[in-house]
Each structure stands twice: as structure tokens, then as C-alpha cells.
Amino acid sequence: MAFLKYSLIRLALFAPLFVLFTFLGLGALMSVICAALIAFALSYLFFQKQRDEAAAALHHRFSGKAKPLRSAGEVQDAHAEDALLDANPDVIISNDMKDRKRA
């Protein structure tokens, strides 16, 4: 949620700057570049707390400590697959494409 909040803040800074620079006649590419640089600078200077929270959220998500994001259906499917594998120990599952036979 912190990453989304910080991204929305940056977008809220970028959009009006882009419109302003386009209105001033800088052209589309130069407006994007100027708006992105100024939005980056403003968010870097004034939104340190939100940036740090977003970075911590991303670090937690990709560090391997976060629980996986699965729906209830995916969890039930995984349990059913595990139960089938436990009931049939002679079955081997391979994810290699070269091990699969073509029809």
C-alpha cells in the first residue's frame, strides 16, 4: 500500500507539470522529460517518509519473508495436487519442456 501511495503522489506531481509544460509549448518529449525531472526532485526532497515506507514495503515483498499472494482457489488446487502426489509416490513431475512428449 505504501508503494501505491508514493506512486500516486509522484503521478500527482508529474501530471500537472506535464500539462503545464505542454501548454507552454515545449513539445511532448521535452514536457515529459522536464515534468519527470521536477516531479522526481520534489518527491525526493519533500516525501522522504513515503519513499522510505515504499522502499521498505518493496524490500519486504522481495526478500522472501512475505507470505505468498494466493487466492483461495489457488490454495485449494495446491492442496489437491499435493494430496494426489502423496497418494501416488511413483508419479514424477517435471517442468522441463524437453521431457514432455509432443502430441
Side-chain angles (χ1 to χ4, degrees):
M1 190 66 174
F3 181 75
L4 177 64
K5 182 179 176 182
Y6 184 63
S7 296
L8 289 175
I9 289 171
R10 292 190 65 181
L11 182 63
L13 289 171
F14 174 81
L17 288 170
F18 174 72
V19 171
L20 174 70
F21 291 136
T22 304
F23 180 72
L24 291 175
L26 288 179
L29 181 62
M30 195 58 135
S31 295
V32 167
I33 292 171
C34 290
L37 287 174
I38 292 174
F40 166 75
L42 290 174
S43 65
Y44 186 80
L45 291 173
F46 298 112
F47 297 105
Q48 180 179 358
K49 178 183 172 192
Q50 290 83 359
R51 184 180 68 246
D52 291 343
E53 290 173 0
L58 284 177
H59 181 269
H60 179 69
R61 166 58 52 203
F62 292 110
S63 67
K65 297 176 186 173
K67 67 179 188 175
L69 299 174
R70 289 187 175 180
S71 67
E74 290 174 327
V75 171
Q76 288 176 347
D77 287 346
H79 288 305
E81 290 172 1
D82 292 343
L84 282 173
L85 285 175
D86 291 341
N88 301 299
D90 57 327
V91 175
I92 298 172
I93 296 177
S94 174
N95 289 330
D96 286 339
M97 294 299 290
K98 63 183 177 183
D99 291 342
R100 296 181 185 179
K101 294 181 181 177
R102 293 186 181 179

